[in-house]
Structures are given as structure tokens and as C-alpha cells.
Amino acid sequence: MRTVFISAIAVCSLIAALPSEAAEVNTYQVTSAEAPSYLVLDGTIEAVKSATVSAQTSGRIVKLNYDVNDFVPAGASLLEITSKEQGAELAAAEASYARAKALDVEAQQTLTRYQALFPQGAISKGAMDQAIANAKSSQQAATAALAQVTKARENLKYTIVAAPYAGVMTARHVEEGETVTLGQPLLSGYATDKMRVVVQVPQQYRQALVDAGAVDVTLADGRQFTIDKPQIFGFTDTQSHAYKVRLPLPENTPALLPGSWVKARFAVSQRPLVQIPTSALYSVNELTGVYLKVNDSFVLQQVRIGENINGKVEVLAGLQNGDVIANNAYQVLMQHSAK
């Protein structure tokens, strides 16, 4: 059963325009085939590496080198904090280390002399034991002093905050001249080299996604990617009860912006697909139809169409398997209007 969606005026004009002979018109037989039915979901782009840099020392900010939306090279100085206090701590630690090292050298030399004199009986057993203890103690003290130097040197390095990776700055949490404390957030940003799409997949489609094994991603600018290794979380979201799925995009893909909406789709079932050549369509105003062969004549049959795939358009309603239509709708009009 089918419904012919055509007005009475169009039918009259069609019958008047088209004679009964239809043998000269190129025809196309409609056939249906099995095709995947897709679930289309909204997703968002997010950066794989995104972080907020916090203060690892206290002080006053004396210089801000970058602002929001700036591209920052890896290792670049983001901001600078006053370093007088940290520099003084480093100087004091180096002085303490020098003193501990000198005492260690003296203790080691004393031990060496005692070791030479002890077999001769010139040094008592107690003095020898004391020299050994002093040598070990001074060595440990020198090691501890060196650790303090390392700590002070690192603390001084923290006054210059460097970018952990190349990327774009998204937020600035402090201002120049502001005093910051240990652990206070300073700047936020993300790396531009690795991006991924995040989608929420309803529970009932999780197995279909596993079976499909691949997801097609379409960006807002029309670029398309096929992700063959979707990362499906092993638990659902407590609010939506959907599975979170990450779809890693190719590295260093240009013009990817975190937060952008994308479309993700994957096959969930099979459905009958009817396709016809785009040349078979006749469109005027809001009417879209084809010329259906009925006996020896052509009748305008209204159809509802879907997406265009490889030069053929999908027919959602109006035709069925085995129908014969004109291969070129405008050829029919021109051929019979000339008669």
C-alpha cells in the first residue's frame, strides 16, 4: 500500500503533459538493502592534558608574562615571584654545607691518622672508636646540609613558574603585585597537541557500542574522523546513569577547541535502506517527488527523503522494493513538454 501525495491540479497537468508511451524514458528499479541504523549523540571536545599551576613557594608576584588566550611554549616563564627570601635561604644553606663539609674533611683526616697509629699502640681503643664515630657523624651532617642546599635551590627555582607543556592559557587567578601563598592557584591552561571527544552513552546502547567497535565523529566545521578504539568507562554516571566514553582524536589536529560540540554516531542495528539517484528527484517549492511508472504512464509520487550518500539519496517513505521510476525526472518533463 502507498499514498500518492499529489494535488488534483498536478494530476490533471501531469496526465495532459505525459502520453501513455513511457518506453523511451530511462527507468530505475527501486531495490532495498540492509544498512546500519545509527545512534547519533552530542559530544564535547576536551583536552587530554589540562591543569592549573599552583604556587610552590610564597612571595609577591613581580611579573606576569602571559595572559588568557595566549599560546605558551613548553618551559616558558609564566610569572615571576620575589626571590630575596629564597635567595637568602639558599645562601644560608650553602654556608651550612660548607661548614659541615669542612668538619667532615677534618674528621675523615683524623680517622685516617688514627688508623695509622692505632696498630702501633699510640692510640687507645676509646680514642679510635671516638674517631670512627666522629667521621660517620660528620659525613651524615654533610649529607644533610647538602640536602638543605638542594631544597633551598629548588625553592628558589619555584619563584619562576614555568609552563609544564606547550598550550593555551585559559584562566589567570592572580594579578601582578599580589602576594601568593604555598598551594594557591595561579594559572590554568591546556595542551593543544592531544584532544578527545567525550560522550554519554545510554545504558541500553553500551553493548551495541562494544559490538560496533568504532564511532564516527563529525566536527562543527564538517571534518570527520573514525575512532576505532573508544574508551568506555566501567561505571555509569550517578546522575544520568549513562556510560562515559572517550574518543581520542588524532594528535596535532589543527583548530580543535575544548568545549566545542560535535556529533558522534555508531551503528546500533540493521534496517532496510532504499536509495535512488538524485537525478530521479523532482522538487518544486515544498514538494519532493519522483515519476513512478504505473502501467505505461508516469505518475508523480511524493517521497520523503533522508541524507545523500555517495550520489544517491535515501528514501524514507513513498517508495517500496520493486517500484520502477524515471531515472531523470526533468528528462521526463522536457521530453513530453516538447511533444
Side-chain angles (χ1 to χ4, degrees):
M1 295 293 293
R2 72 164 61 82
T3 302
V4 178
F5 301 98
I6 183 168
S7 66
I9 297 176
V11 171
C12 293
S13 62
L14 180 64
I15 294 174
L18 301 183
S20 60
E21 300 89 0
E24 299 177 3
V25 178
N26 250 344
T27 58
Y28 178 84
Q29 185 169 8
V30 177
T31 58
S32 64
E34 289 293 312
S37 178
Y38 292 95
L39 174 67
V40 180
L41 300 171
D42 289 325
T44 54
I45 297 177
E46 71 173 21
V48 175
K49 293 188 291 185
S50 178
T52 296
V53 178
S54 299
Q56 294 178 276
T57 187
S58 58
R60 181 172 54 84
I61 297 176
V62 294
K63 189 175 182 182
L64 280 168
N65 299 321
Y66 293 93
D67 205 346
V68 174
N69 206 40
D70 288 344
F71 180 81
V72 182
S77 173
L78 298 173
L79 59 81
E80 298 177 19
I81 301 174
T82 52
S83 58
K84 289 185 178 180
E85 182 180 351
Q86 291 82 359
E89 290 177 355
L90 176 59
E94 289 176 339
S96 297
Y97 172 66
R99 181 175 180 275
K101 189 65 177 176
L103 292 175
D104 181 47
V105 170
E106 180 184 2
Q108 300 303 326
Q109 290 175 348
T110 300
L111 177 60
T112 301
R113 289 195 302 270
Y114 278 20
Q115 287 174 337
L117 296 174
F118 182 70
Q120 303 174 11
I123 300 298
S124 66
K125 183 68 168 62
M128 185 63 189
D129 293 341
Q130 183 65 40
I132 294 173
N134 289 341
K136 291 182 178 180
S137 177
S138 62
Q139 188 178 31
Q140 295 300 321
T143 301
L146 179 60
Q148 290 300 316
V149 171
T150 302
K151 180 180 178 181
R153 187 175 291 120
E154 289 298 314
N155 202 33
L156 180 60
K157 288 181 180 179
Y158 294 154
T159 59
I160 298 178
V161 180
Y165 41 73
V168 175
M169 188 184 299
T170 57
R172 189 181 69 188
H173 308 291
V174 291
E175 298 291 340
E176 188 172 325
E178 184 176 343
T179 300
V180 296
T181 57
L182 186 66
Q184 181 175 342
L186 301 175
L187 305 166
S188 299
Y190 67 89
T192 57
D193 58 339
K194 292 183 180 181
M195 296 286 178
R196 63 191 174 204
V197 172
V198 177
V199 295
Q200 299 286 338
V201 177
Q203 294 184 43
Q204 63 267 34
Y205 296 111
R206 185 184 187 278
Q207 188 56 47
L209 175 58
V210 174
D211 295 338
V215 180
D216 296 327
V217 174
T218 303
L219 306 185
D221 58 10
R223 285 180 292 171
Q224 295 183 333
F225 302 93
T226 298
I227 311 302
D228 56 3
K229 293 183 179 179
Q231 302 170 357
I232 308 172
F233 280 32
F235 52 89
T236 61
D237 182 80
T238 55
Q239 299 296 324
S240 64
H241 302 289
Y243 287 94
K244 187 176 183 179
V245 178
R246 288 175 174 171
L247 308 171
L249 295 172
E251 291 188 19
N252 298 311
T253 302
L256 292 180
L257 300 177
S260 302
W261 287 101
V262 301
K263 293 292 185 181
R265 71 170 194 172
F266 58 91
V268 294
S269 62
Q270 294 291 319
R271 62 181 176 86
L273 175 67
V274 174
Q275 289 181 304
I276 62 172
T278 54
S279 59
L281 291 177
Y282 172 72
S283 299
V284 55
N285 297 328
E286 296 183 357
L287 172 68
T288 300
V290 297
Y291 283 107
L292 176 68
K293 186 175 182 181
V294 178
N295 298 323
D296 292 329
S297 301
F298 287 96
V299 177
L300 185 60
Q301 167 72 27
Q302 184 174 356
V303 294
R304 184 159 60 92
I305 61 175
E307 59 181 327
N308 194 317
I309 306 173
N310 298 327
K312 289 189 175 183
V313 65
E314 180 183 2
V315 177
L316 303 177
L319 292 176
Q320 62 186 15
N321 193 29
D323 286 344
V324 177
I325 62 174
N327 193 52
N328 190 324
Y330 291 94
Q331 178 193 13
V332 175
L333 289 175
M334 295 178 64
Q335 177 178 346
H336 292 287
S337 63
K339 292 183 179 181

